[in-house]
Amino acid sequence: MRTNSPPGTGPPPRPAGACASGPGGERARAGSASPRADAGGGASAASGEKMNYMPGTASLIQDIDKKHLVLLRDGRTLIGYLRSIDQFANLVLHQTVERIHVGKKYGDIPRGIFVVRGENVVLLGEIDLEKESDTPLQQVSIEEILEVQRVEQQTKQESDKLKMQALKERGLSIPRADTLDEY
């Protein structure tokens, strides 16, 4: 469909969906260097170049099938292979272990497949497999790390009890942790 326009007023208007032609009637090819608009309105290269930025959890797609460390809101540390994500940052980890650190020792408790709700994730990071074994920490058995953790928690509770008693003797009080908001 062509319309006649007065001379000197520019090219005739194109109907919607028509392809633009360059000088001499050449059509732009898909392999050309000119950018095209994608469905999201942004520009991406037509020749299959990698997109530089993906917003939100979509940026995690490139991390699928890689080993990750996940720090949870309750303080637990999980290590496993990221298998799936969704728009809420819910994660599915495969071959997951729960790593417990106490001082310079650590122990891994096998957990298998682990589904983590996105709101519980504090930190997510890829593990460099080449540097993974270069750690100054000593790996110990599950039983040993659980015993060391229990002793450490018991020592902390006794210390906290002594602090609370000393504050109480001075007329001060600190609200208990269970009466405070979680956030």
Side-chain angles (χ1 to χ4, degrees):
M1 175 171 146
R2 262 194 120 133
T3 59
N4 292 330
S5 55
T9 61
R14 285 188 317 229
C19 188
S21 296
E26 300 167 326
R27 292 183 185 240
R29 284 186 242 145
S32 69
S34 63
R36 63 174 172 81
D38 64 1
S44 65
S47 61
E49 290 180 28
K50 192 174 179 182
M51 203 194 286
N52 290 336
Y53 172 74
M54 290 187 291
T57 57
S59 63
L60 291 175
I61 291 173
Q62 63 195 9
D63 289 339
I64 298 252
D65 295 333
K66 294 182 182 174
K67 195 170 189 179
H68 283 77
L69 179 140
V70 180
L71 182 63
L72 300 179
R73 200 165 66 172
D74 65 359
R76 288 186 291 169
T77 302
L78 302 174
I79 297 175
Y81 290 92
L82 183 65
R83 295 297 186 208
S84 181
I85 57 159
D86 67 5
Q87 71 270 25
F88 303 109
N90 296 325
L91 310 173
V92 176
L93 298 172
H94 183 245
Q95 296 178 354
T96 307
V97 294
E98 181 179 346
R99 182 160 287 179
I100 299 174
H101 295 92
V102 180
K104 296 234 179 223
K105 297 179 181 181
Y106 75 93
D108 291 339
I109 302 172
R111 297 291 189 199
I113 294 177
F114 215 92
V115 179
V116 181
R117 189 175 169 122
E119 68 181 17
N120 293 321
V121 175
V122 174
L123 179 88
L124 170 71
E126 183 180 351
I127 293 178
D128 187 351
L129 298 176
E130 294 174 3
K131 296 181 182 178
E132 183 179 16
S133 60
D134 298 338
T135 179
L137 303 176
Q138 174 191 3
Q139 185 172 9
V140 296
S141 69
I142 297 169
E143 294 80 18
E144 186 177 342
I145 197 67
L146 290 173
E147 179 61 25
V148 172
Q149 183 184 41
R150 186 188 64 75
V151 169
E152 182 188 55
Q153 287 174 345
Q154 188 176 16
T155 305
K156 186 179 183 314
Q157 285 177 349
E158 290 171 3
S159 172
D160 287 347
K161 190 183 275 188
L162 289 173
K163 286 179 189 175
M164 290 297 289
Q165 186 178 1
L167 288 171
K168 196 174 196 180
E169 290 171 358
R170 291 172 176 81
L172 301 171
S173 67
I174 296 177
R176 293 189 338 226
D178 60 351
T179 61
L180 298 174
D181 287 337
E182 287 186 54
Y183 306 105

